[in-house]
């Protein structure tokens, strides 16, 4: 999101800058950088020095800054280290310290998830940064499962702060950076309205907080990059198509897949693309696929692309032999194949248990592939069931094998009505999931908080 949104905000006439930790990524080594600021701050009793570098060419369409803190941020992985608390808190201290040194104050500071969740608090409650206290802050929550919990023994990591405000840091006797951001940010956004609704009932302990703060929360769907994801120009596809050539174009792509994976082109092709993890309900796929082929009959084909939990990977691989001709899978990450699958499939299955926004269903629809989704989070907000007026997808409620197979049964029935399929494809390919729309909604949020200054 921070790679796309600022570009679109820039096209709407705003100046958006992005700052993130300087991980040791390929992007870092492949690009040229200039040092724009050097500073120092303390993390508890430890004094550290930080450097802010800026990408020189503006190749992303916005200014990208990286914060380097020797020994903490210069790692290959983003998170998962024992000292993540020290890494992310020092990053946030450096960012606030740097912004505090700017000649002009920013109009809005927009933070994402718990990793940047202490920034609104620091701007409001640290004595050294008092001149930032009236700068509005916005928090976007992508995933509320991870909250960055840290013990009160680490409260001195935050630069000298007003002790009367301890309640903003605290949630259940620990410092909870996500909860703190929800309390301190002027406005909170989640990446769909339904995800926001679900957080009030299921958010890893923050349920009462979401209920209490609902007045300042809004849902804004992520967009997709419609230049990359375009069946007319997609560089990963050998067979391009547009609205008038959809039927022939999709068939040509489907043929490629069916030839490569030994599937039957005359039957509806249902695909799954994504991480093979519990959040995506990938563990239900083997049984759902087996049951569908057994109970509905061998009237559909499946193709799965993904990687994740070894046990699920193993099951999805071992099914290839017994279900040959009806099912196939590729374990691993394959960008080209994913594009070919979005283009060539008839249906995309997403039985997710949790899906804050979900992009796959949007990509699929742009390529005329009908989504079969569980009604959760962003899936609920972007897919309307064919049973409803104007509906164009297949929806089900529970993350249960029986619900998935019933949805597959409905898809097979729909596929028999080819005129209906053609009409739905035409409809979904024209839905607007672009960033232009979402970027404007974020600008509206910024303007809203600016009014409160
Ligand atoms: P999220 O990270 O949003 O929870 P996923 O990891 O399932 O969801 O998918 C995110 C994006 O990565 C999607 O655009 C999907 O097309 C792509 N993707 C996921 N797994 C694979 C894979 N094995 N091969 C190619 N692309 C993949």
């Amino acid at each position: 999101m921070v790679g796309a949104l600022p570009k679109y905000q820039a096209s709407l006439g705003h100046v958006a800058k992005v700052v993130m930790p300087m991980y040791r990524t390929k992007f870092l080594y492949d690009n040229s950088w200039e040092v724009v600021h050097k500073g120092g701050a303390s993390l508890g009793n430890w004094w550290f020095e930080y450097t802010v570098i800026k990408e020189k060419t503006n190749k992303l369409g916005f200014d990208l800054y990286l914060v380097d803190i020797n020994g903490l941020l210069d790692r290959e992985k983003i998170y998962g280290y024992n000292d993540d608390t020290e890494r992310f808190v020092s990053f946030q201290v450096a960012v606030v310290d740097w912004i505090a040194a700017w000649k002009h104050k920013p109009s809005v500071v927009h933070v994402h998830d718990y990793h940047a969740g202490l920034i609104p608090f620091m701007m409001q409650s640290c004595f050294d940064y008092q001149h930032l206290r009236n700068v509005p802050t916005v928090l976007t929550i992508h995933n509320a499962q991870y909250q960055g919990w840290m013990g009160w023994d680490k409260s001195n990591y935050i630069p000298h702060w007003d002790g009367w405000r301890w309640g903003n840091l605290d949630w259940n006797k620990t410092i909870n950076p996500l909860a703190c951001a929800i309390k301190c940010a002027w406005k909170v956004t989640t990446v769909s309205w339904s995800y926001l609704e679900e957080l009030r009932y299921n958010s890893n302990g923050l349920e009462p907080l979401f209920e209490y703060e609902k007045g300042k929360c809004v849902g804004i769907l992520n967009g997709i990059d419609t230049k990359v994801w375009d069946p007319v120009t997609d560089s990963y596809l050998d067979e391009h198509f547009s609205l008038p050539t959809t039927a022939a174009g999709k068939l040509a792509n489907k043929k490629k897949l069916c030839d490569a994976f030994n599937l039957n082109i005359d039957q509806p092709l249902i695909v799954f693309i994504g991480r093979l993890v519990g959040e995506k309900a990938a563990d239900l796929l083997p049984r759902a696929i087996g049951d569908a082929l057994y109970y509905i009959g061998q009237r559909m084909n499946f193709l799965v692309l993904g990687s994740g939990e070894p046990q699920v990977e193993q099951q999805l691989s071992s099914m290839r032999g017994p279900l040959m001709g009806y099912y196939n899978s590729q374990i691993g990450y394959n960008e080209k194949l994913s594009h070919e699958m979005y283009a060539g499939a008839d249906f995309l299955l997403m039985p997710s248990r949790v899906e804050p926004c979900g992009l796959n269903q949007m990509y699929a629809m742009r390529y005329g592939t009908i989504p079969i989704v569980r009604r959760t989070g962003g899936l609920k907000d972007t897919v309307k069931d064919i049973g409803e007026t104007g509906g164009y997808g297949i929806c089900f409620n529970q993350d249960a094998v029986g619900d998935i197979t019933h949805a597959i049964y409905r898809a097979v029935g729909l596929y028999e009505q080819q005129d209906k399929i053609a009409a739905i494809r035409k409809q979904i390919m024209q839905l607007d999931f672009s960033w232009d729309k979402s970027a404007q909604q974020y600008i509206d949020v910024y303007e809203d908080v600016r009014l409160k200054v």
Side-chain angles (χ1 to χ4, degrees), residues 268 270 292 296 299-300 347 370-373 375 383-388 391-397 402-417 420-421 424:
I270 302 172
I296 304 169
R299 293 159 61 196
M300 78 299 279
F347 299 94
I370 301 171
I372 305 174
V373 302
R375 281 194 186 91
V383 182
K384 202 167 171 190
D385 190 86
I386 44 167
E388 297 168 45
Y392 45 81
I394 293 176
C395 303
F396 57 96
N397 290 334
D403 267 36
I404 302 174
T405 49
H406 184 253
I408 292 171
Y409 174 73
R410 292 181 66 209
V412 172
L414 179 65
Y415 190 74
E416 282 160 11
Q417 307 165 57
K420 221 168 175 176
I421 292 272
I424 292 177

Side-chain angles (χ1 to χ4, degrees), residues 10-233:
S11 69
L12 291 171
H14 299 268
V15 179
K17 297 165 182 277
V18 172
V19 55
M20 55 189 283
M22 194 192 85
Y23 305 114
R24 288 276 160 97
T25 56
K26 191 169 175 300
F27 188 84
L28 176 69
Y29 297 116
D30 289 352
N31 290 282
S32 40
W33 305 84
E34 61 185 315
V35 173
V36 292
H37 183 79
K38 272 179 180 289
S42 50
L43 186 76
N45 298 328
W46 181 60
W47 175 258
F48 68 90
E49 275 164 17
Y50 67 91
T51 308
V52 184
I53 58 174
K54 180 182 166 199
E55 194 274 316
K56 266 185 179 167
T57 59
N58 199 278
K59 69 188 289 189
L60 297 168
F62 56 86
D63 289 340
L64 173 66
Y65 299 88
L66 304 181
V67 175
D68 182 26
I69 301 173
N70 266 336
L72 282 179
L73 298 179
D74 46 356
R75 312 233 182 122
E76 275 167 28
K77 278 196 304 173
I78 292 172
Y79 33 57
Y81 297 101
N82 286 336
D83 57 353
D84 276 355
T85 300
E86 286 71 19
R87 295 173 69 232
F88 289 114
V89 178
S90 62
F91 164 69
Q92 296 174 82
V93 172
V95 169
V96 178
D97 194 73
W98 169 53
I99 293 175
W102 289 11
K103 283 193 204 83
H104 306 285
K105 282 192 272 185
S107 311
V108 176
V109 172
H110 185 167
V111 302
H112 296 264
D113 277 351
Y114 87 78
H115 315 86
L118 294 171
I119 288 178
F121 177 84
M122 289 186 202
M123 289 167 57
Q124 287 159 18
S125 307
C126 292
F127 295 113
D128 286 347
Y129 308 128
Q130 280 294 292
H131 62 292
L132 295 177
R133 68 189 300 175
N134 288 326
V135 175
T137 48
V138 174
L139 163 73
T140 291
I141 301 175
H142 301 255
N143 190 334
Q145 291 299 306
Y146 307 96
Q147 300 168 6
W149 310 269
M150 52 192 261
W152 268 102
D153 55 320
K154 296 187 174 176
S155 61
N156 67 336
Y157 284 1
I158 303 168
H160 193 35
W161 51 277
D162 180 355
W164 288 101
R165 309 251 179 104
W166 70 274
N168 280 341
L169 291 171
D170 187 75
W171 191 257
N172 279 343
K173 302 189 177 66
T174 31
I175 296 181
N176 182 321
L178 187 68
C180 175
I182 297 167
K183 293 180 204 179
C184 296
W186 297 31
K187 216 127 194 162
V188 176
T189 75
T190 56
V191 288
S192 67
W193 274 108
S194 292
Y195 185 54
L196 178 58
E197 188 64 25
E198 287 161 21
L199 291 174
R200 283 163 56 195
Y201 304 99
N202 179 10
S203 51
N204 214 354
L206 299 185
E207 297 80 5
L209 185 59
F210 279 106
E211 177 62 33
Y212 183 76
E213 297 284 13
K214 63 185 174 197
K216 69 174 179 194
C217 297
V218 289
I220 302 178
L221 283 169
N222 286 338
I224 59 173
D225 192 331
T226 45
K227 290 186 197 85
V228 175
W229 295 93
D230 183 350
V232 180
T233 54

Side-chain angles (χ1 to χ4, degrees), residues 288-401:
I289 292 171
D291 277 14
L293 285 166
Y294 186 78
Y295 292 111
I296 304 169
Q298 293 163 341
R299 293 159 61 196
M300 78 299 279
N301 286 182
F302 295 95
L303 182 58
V304 174
L305 167 65
S307 60
E309 282 161 18
Q311 200 190 340
V312 179
E313 288 187 355
Q314 201 270 329
Q315 271 180 303
L316 289 168
S317 301
S318 65
M319 287 160 57
R320 279 183 214 133
L323 300 179
M324 198 189 299
Y326 303 99
Y327 163 85
N328 214 328
S329 63
Q330 189 168 108
I331 304 302
Y333 192 91
N334 188 331
E335 189 75 28
K336 179 170 165 61
L337 179 59
S338 77
H339 286 243
E340 290 171 343
M341 287 168 70
Y342 287 120
D346 298 299
F347 299 94
L348 175 88
L349 176 61
M350 292 184 79
S352 307
R353 293 196 174 93
V354 188
E355 198 67 78
C357 175
L359 295 175
N360 301 24
Q361 81 279 15
M362 301 190 208
Y363 298 145
M365 288 193 268
R366 188 136 164 88
Y367 288 68
T369 297
I370 301 171
I372 305 174
V373 302
R374 180 168 167 251
R375 281 194 186 91
T376 183
L379 298 177
K380 191 173 166 191
D381 293 358
T382 51
V383 182
K384 202 167 171 190
D385 190 86
I386 44 167
E388 297 168 45
T389 320
Y392 45 81
I394 293 176
C395 303
F396 57 96
N397 290 334
Q398 303 300 330
D399 51 337
V401 170

